[in-house]
Amino acid sequence: QLNAAFQKLYRWIQREFKTLDLENPQISSSIRRALRVLAERPTLFQNCLDFFAEAREHVLSDAFYAALTGSLTNAEHRGSVGKAIELSAHDPLRYVGDMLAWAHSATVSEREALEVLFISANDEVAAGIRAGIESEPWTRASSDVDASDIFDGHKALAQLISRNLAGVARQLRQRVEQVIQSHDDPTLAYKLSNLLGFYRLMFSKLLEDDTGAFPTALQALEAAALRHFRTSMRDHV
């Protein structure tokens, strides 16, 4: 009966995640309580996190595309879509800067919303997972990570945000690579490298993780811009 109840709770949380509005500062307390209880079944809790990360990745990817094009296809973000970022594509430095600024703003908003949802003053989720170790001993046996570390507070939060932003990171990387390759001005390449390095440090501090999708993408783009700068300078000389 208890296992059946956990399954019902698991399915209810998944349904709620589909329509959850993180832009609303008054996120339902029932969701937080449900996550605290579901944490007593670490496998179900982790599956819920995976489902949530996949759903948020689609939402943020759509929102980024809407910001780039100025389209209003995503109803959730209709109020936040302004001038299309791609209208400044003729100015590559501003174009890349606007995309990075949007990504940084989205990351800050995502972090604030998820802290309210997953991080409580008494660390109730972590307490629930510790309570669930006895009910799922195979979780500990089948993993190199102790079951009590499945949701290690801010570290797990940073990893979840990185997964949510993975789709945005892919789109951003494609567009910035196109900008780098399509301009032969060494000064521009150097400025882009500095801009990307600045945002890489900002994302590393914000996410407290250098291995996430965004810091990794920005590190690769920064290196690509520097390589392009050196190549352009050699050709110029």
Side-chain angles (χ1 to χ4, degrees), residues 98-110:
D98 286 350
M99 287 192 292
L100 290 169
W102 186 96
H104 181 262
S105 175
T107 303
V108 171
S109 300
E110 196 78 357

Side-chain angles (χ1 to χ4, degrees), residues 57 60-61 64 162-172 213:
E57 182 181 348
L60 289 171
S61 295
F64 183 56
S162 293
R163 292 173 62 187
N164 294 356
L165 291 163
V168 176
R170 285 193 298 270
Q171 293 185 61
L172 179 73

Side-chain angles (χ1 to χ4, degrees), residues 132-148:
I133 294 175
E134 296 302 323
S135 66
E136 294 187 357
W138 58 85
T139 306
R140 181 174 46 192
S142 62
S143 174
D144 294 333
V145 181
D146 194 295
S148 61

Side-chain angles (χ1 to χ4, degrees), residues 35-79:
L35 287 169
R36 156 66 183 88
V37 175
L38 192 67
E40 295 179 18
R41 291 293 186 271
T43 302
L44 293 180
F45 181 76
Q46 189 62 43
N47 288 343
C48 259
L49 287 189
D50 294 340
F51 178 84
F52 178 73
E54 184 178 346
R56 288 302 299 170
E57 182 181 348
H58 289 305
V59 169
L60 289 171
S61 295
D62 290 346
F64 183 56
Y65 181 77
L68 285 169
T69 61
S71 64
L72 299 178
T73 55
N74 193 327
E76 182 180 348
H77 295 270
R78 288 190 178 188

Side-chain angles (χ1 to χ4, degrees), residues 2-225:
L2 194 58
N3 285 334
F6 274 112
Q7 288 289 340
K8 288 181 180 179
L9 183 64
Y10 168 66
R11 290 192 293 271
W12 179 82
I13 291 176
Q14 284 192 323
R15 285 197 302 271
E16 290 296 310
F17 274 164
K18 289 180 180 179
T19 57
L20 187 64
D21 182 10
L22 290 182
E23 307 298 326
N24 183 0
Q26 303 298 328
I27 297 176
S28 174
S29 60
S30 59
I31 292 284
R32 294 198 295 271
R33 185 180 178 191
L35 287 169
R36 156 66 183 88
V37 175
L38 192 67
E40 295 179 18
R41 291 293 186 271
T43 302
L44 293 180
F45 181 76
Q46 189 62 43
N47 288 343
C48 259
L49 287 189
D50 294 340
F51 178 84
F52 178 73
E54 184 178 346
R56 288 302 299 170
E57 182 181 348
H58 289 305
V59 169
L60 289 171
S61 295
D62 290 346
F64 183 56
Y65 181 77
L68 285 169
T69 61
S71 64
L72 299 178
T73 55
N74 193 327
E76 182 180 348
H77 295 270
R78 288 190 178 188
S80 62
V81 174
K83 184 178 178 181
I85 294 175
E86 287 184 343
L87 290 178
S88 61
H90 61 280
D91 183 352
L93 197 61
R94 180 185 171 187
Y95 176 51
V96 173
D98 286 350
M99 287 192 292
L100 290 169
W102 186 96
H104 181 262
S105 175
T107 303
V108 171
S109 300
E110 196 78 357
R111 184 180 181 89
E112 289 174 351
L114 295 187
E115 279 180 344
V116 172
L117 191 59
F118 290 107
I119 303 293
S120 61
N122 299 323
D123 205 7
E124 294 176 341
V125 171
I129 288 181
R130 284 193 291 271
I133 294 175
E134 296 302 323
S135 66
E136 294 187 357
W138 58 85
T139 306
R140 181 174 46 192
S142 62
S143 174
D144 294 333
V145 181
D146 194 295
S148 61
D149 293 330
I150 290 178
F151 195 86
D152 184 16
H154 293 282
K155 179 181 177 182
L157 181 67
Q159 292 173 349
L160 182 61
I161 295 170
S162 293
R163 292 173 62 187
N164 294 356
L165 291 163
V168 176
R170 285 193 298 270
Q171 293 185 61
L172 179 73
R173 184 168 183 169
Q174 291 172 355
R175 284 167 170 78
V176 176
E177 283 176 344
Q178 289 174 355
V179 171
I180 293 172
Q181 296 300 325
S182 59
H183 292 83
D184 294 327
D185 182 6
T187 306
L188 174 62
Y190 188 74
K191 288 180 178 179
L192 285 173
S193 174
N194 282 341
L195 181 65
L196 291 162
F198 170 72
Y199 273 98
R200 175 178 56 80
L201 291 174
M202 288 183 66
F203 275 102
S204 295
K205 291 178 182 178
L206 180 62
L207 298 175
E208 301 173 3
D209 181 18
D210 291 329
T211 61
F214 245 105
T216 302
L218 293 181
Q219 187 174 11
L221 290 170
E222 182 185 2

